[in-house]
């Protein structure tokens, strides 16, 4: 009976599937931890920034939130997709699948940053486009209790004059979040490549209690 409880031999190794990594008590590798923290922070920044104000438009400083634009809706979806993809990547059973997911996350981060940066560069034109003028006029008409047509005509006159759209922190938060996600994706690509080696498999499976890591 005593032999049933003897500790594993010194040269024993463990070769689990990648799903075991999620519940493993082993200390995560530096690449894995850095990628996780970077992706989590970047994904949250993307989501939060997309819900915040991207610009204020004179003469009444009417706020334009990210989700008032298709670009903000896309970056919000990317933020959610990054957070979901980060968990999915850890559950994938092969290194090639994890690497493909990491590359996709990297591309999504760059796309989100590029979308927000493009709006920042063309701020005056983007945030005062005809569709945005209509939306701003509707909000002002409801706030000021004035006819929509009157407010819309006044805005048309103002927009023909010289003015400058005031860009807000939400827009830059999305740019920073996208770049951070891209960095996390690059770290995850490196982690996925390393996890395909026998040494990494032992590191993932090792519990530090009788099993060599």
């Amino acid at each position: 009976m005593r032999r049933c409880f003897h500790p594993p031999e010194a040269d024993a190794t463990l070769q689990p599937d990648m799903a075991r990594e999620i519940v493993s008590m082993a200390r995560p590798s530096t690449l894995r931890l850095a990628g996780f923290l970077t992706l989590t922070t970047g994904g949250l920044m993307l989501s939060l920034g997309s819900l915040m104000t991207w610009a204020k438009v004179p003469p009444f400083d009417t706020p334009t939130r990210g989700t008032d634009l298709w670009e903000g809706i896309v970056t919000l979806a990317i933020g959610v997709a990054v957070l979901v993809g980060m968990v999915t990547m850890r559950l994938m059973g092969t290194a090639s699948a994890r690497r493909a997911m990491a590359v996709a996350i990297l591309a999504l981060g760059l796309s989100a940053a590029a979308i927000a940066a493009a709006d920042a560069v063309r701020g005056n034109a983007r945030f005062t486009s005809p569709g945005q003028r209509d939306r701003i006029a509707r909000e002002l008409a409801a706030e000021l209790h004035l006819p929509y047509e009157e407010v819309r005509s006044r805005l048309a006159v103002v927009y023909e004059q010289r003015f400058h759209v005031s860009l807000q922190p939400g827009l830059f938060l999305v740019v920073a979040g996208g770049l951070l996600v891209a960095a996390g994706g690059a770290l995850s690509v490196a982690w996925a490549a390393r996890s395909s080696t026998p040494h990494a498999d032992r590191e993932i499976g090792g519990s530090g209690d009788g099993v060599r890591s």
Side-chain angles (χ1 to χ4, degrees):
M1 293 294 294
R2 183 174 301 176
R3 289 187 302 172
C4 295
F5 300 97
H6 72 279
E9 298 178 2
D11 59 348
T13 59
L14 186 62
Q15 302 291 335
D17 59 20
M18 281 303 296
R20 185 185 180 97
E21 182 181 4
I22 299 298
V23 297
S24 173
M25 298 302 293
R27 181 178 180 180
S29 66
T30 301
L31 276 177
R32 175 189 163 197
L33 182 60
F36 173 79
L37 293 177
T38 305
L39 288 177
T40 300
T41 304
L44 291 175
M45 289 172 63
L46 276 178
S47 302
L48 179 61
S50 299
L51 297 172
M52 294 173 60
T53 300
W54 282 20
K56 288 186 177 180
V57 182
F60 301 105
D61 285 336
T62 305
T64 299
R65 292 166 292 276
T67 49
D68 288 330
L69 311 168
W70 69 262
E71 294 96 324
I73 296 174
V74 170
T75 56
L76 176 60
I78 289 176
V80 174
V82 166
L83 296 175
V84 174
M86 175 185 65
V87 176
T88 303
M89 178 173 57
R90 298 310 194 269
L91 293 172
M92 289 179 167
T94 65
S96 59
R98 295 190 295 274
R99 186 163 51 249
M101 178 62 75
V103 170
I105 289 175
L106 190 158
L108 286 174
L110 291 177
S111 299
I115 288 172
D119 278 1
V121 170
R122 58 192 181 100
N124 281 358
R126 181 64 187 100
F127 295 108
T128 61
S129 62
Q132 290 305 304
R133 295 184 187 188
D134 293 340
R135 179 189 62 80
I136 292 171
R138 285 193 297 271
E139 292 185 5
L140 286 175
E143 180 182 346
L144 301 175
H145 304 289
L146 294 174
Y148 166 79
E149 292 77 9
E150 179 182 345
V151 175
R152 184 64 175 82
S153 62
R154 290 183 182 181
L155 284 179
V157 173
V158 171
Y159 289 158
E160 294 302 323
Q161 302 172 358
R162 295 178 62 86
F163 69 95
H164 179 70
V165 171
S166 175
L167 301 179
Q168 298 298 301
L171 184 60
F172 300 108
L173 189 63
V174 171
V175 174
L179 294 177
L180 205 57
V181 165
L187 290 171
S188 297
V189 170
W191 167 75
R194 184 180 178 188
S195 68
S196 64
T197 65
H199 172 76
D201 287 338
R202 291 194 297 271
E203 180 183 272
I204 290 168
S207 63
D209 184 14
V211 178
R212 188 176 65 184
S213 60

